[in-house]
Amino acid sequence: MRPSRTHNVGMKHALPLPTDLIPLAEGQGGAFSRQQFLALGGHQRQIDRALRNDSWIRLGQGIYSLQRSPTFETYCWGGLLLSGTDAGSIGGLAAAHLRGVVSKPPSSITVWGPDLTRTVGPWRFRRGSRPRQGSLPTLPPDESILDACSEATPDEVLDLLAGALRGRITTASRLHAMVEANERQRHRRMLLELLPDLAEGVESGLEHGYLRRVERAHRLPEGIRQASISDGTRSDVLYEEYQLLVELDGTLGHIGNGAFRDAERDNRHLLAGYWTLRFGWRDVVVDPCKVARIVEAVLRQRGWPGPSRRRVSRARRCPRCH
C-alpha cells in the first residue's frame, strides 16, 4: 500500500534545519537571508513554517531573524544582507551609534553599497563604494563621524564631534583635513569653524557658546579648557594668572549628588585660592553679555588690566550689549 500524499507532506515539514544556520546567524546579529538559508540546504517550506509559527521574524524582503526581538545590530545586518553585496558598510548616525558616540539608536540605518535597494524597513540605502571595518562592517572612524555629521542637524553636530573626540574615536586635525579636502561635505563651513575650537579642548555646546558669545564677542582673555587644579577634577575654563575658574553647568550631572560634589569641589578650590563662577545654559545662550560683565568684573578684581588692543580700558561691547 502506497503512503498517502498527506503523510509525505508531513515528512517534508519535519525536515531538520541546516546545522550551520545558527552559527551563521549568530555571526550576523541573528539575521540571515533566504539565499544563505537555501545554500545551506534548507527549503522554502521551512521558512514559511517558521514564519507561520512566529519562530522567526521577517526583517525585510528575503531577510529573517532567529531572534523574536531583533536588536539594532540585527537590523544593521539585515540592511547589509539586503544590499546583496559583500562590499556594503553601515554609515551615518547608525555607525556613530555603533562606535559609542551617539547614545540613542537612530530611527534610520544608512547602508552604503554599490547598488540601491528598495524595500520597506528602517534602512536608507546609499549608492557608493565606501571603506568598511569591523566584524559588523562599518565605515572607518573618521568617515563614520563625518558621515554622521551629514545626517545630523546643526544643533547636533557639535555634540557629535565633541563625543567622538572625547571618546578618542578620531582627532580634530584629521577631521579638519578631511573636511577641507571635501567641498561637498554637508555643514562644511560649520565644521571648519568648530574643529579648531574643539582641538583646544571645548567639549560641549555650552562651552562653545561661552567661548564664542562671552569670551570672544567681548574680547575677554581666553581661558584654558579642561584644566585640572586638584586631584580627580577638571574645570571647564581656567584663567590661571587670575586664579579664576568658570564652570558651565548643564542639567545632567549637576543635580542631587552631582550638585553636592560641585559645592565640595568649589570649596576645596577656594581654600587653594581659586574663585569659581558658575553659569548655565540660560545664562550663556540668553544673556551672554551679563555673563561677560560678571567675568570681567571678577577678572579686574584679580588684576586683569583689560584688552590690550587699541588701548581699550573695558571689554568690548558686542552687538547684543545694551
Side-chain angles (χ1 to χ4, degrees), residues 123-266:
W123 303 284
R124 179 187 179 210
F125 295 95
R126 303 184 66 183
R127 178 179 293 162
S129 296
R130 293 291 187 274
R132 45 193 267 149
Q133 187 181 86
S135 56
L136 196 173
T138 305
L139 293 181
D142 299 340
E143 288 85 350
S144 292
I145 301 307
L146 292 182
D147 202 40
C149 286
S150 296
E151 294 184 1
T153 65
D155 289 342
E156 295 169 334
V157 168
L158 176 57
D159 287 337
L160 201 158
L161 291 174
L165 299 181
R166 194 163 49 241
R168 301 187 178 183
I169 303 298
T170 181
T171 66
S173 60
R174 288 207 305 265
L175 292 179
H176 195 276
M178 292 178 66
V179 174
E180 280 194 319
N182 182 9
E183 294 185 356
R184 301 182 65 182
Q185 172 71 45
R186 189 165 180 252
H187 303 311
R188 183 172 186 267
R189 183 176 177 180
M190 181 182 184
L191 290 168
L192 292 175
E193 178 183 293
L194 287 174
L195 285 166
D197 294 339
L198 291 167
E200 293 178 10
V202 173
E203 289 196 350
S204 72
L206 186 57
E207 291 178 32
H208 188 259
Y210 181 84
L211 174 66
R212 293 279 176 170
R213 295 172 178 237
V214 177
E215 284 186 342
R216 291 182 180 173
H218 298 86
R219 206 159 63 231
L220 294 172
E222 291 191 15
I224 302 170
R225 265 61 195 178
Q226 306 306 318
S228 176
I229 63 169
S230 61
D231 291 342
T233 69
R234 283 197 314 167
S235 295
D236 295 322
V237 185
L238 165 65
Y239 300 100
E240 189 170 25
E241 183 179 354
Y242 309 105
Q243 291 188 293
L244 175 63
L245 298 167
V246 172
E247 300 290 0
L248 303 167
D249 299 342
T251 301
L252 187 62
H254 298 281
I255 58 177
N257 290 334
F260 176 79
R261 288 193 298 271
D262 290 341
E264 185 180 38
R265 180 176 61 175
D266 293 349

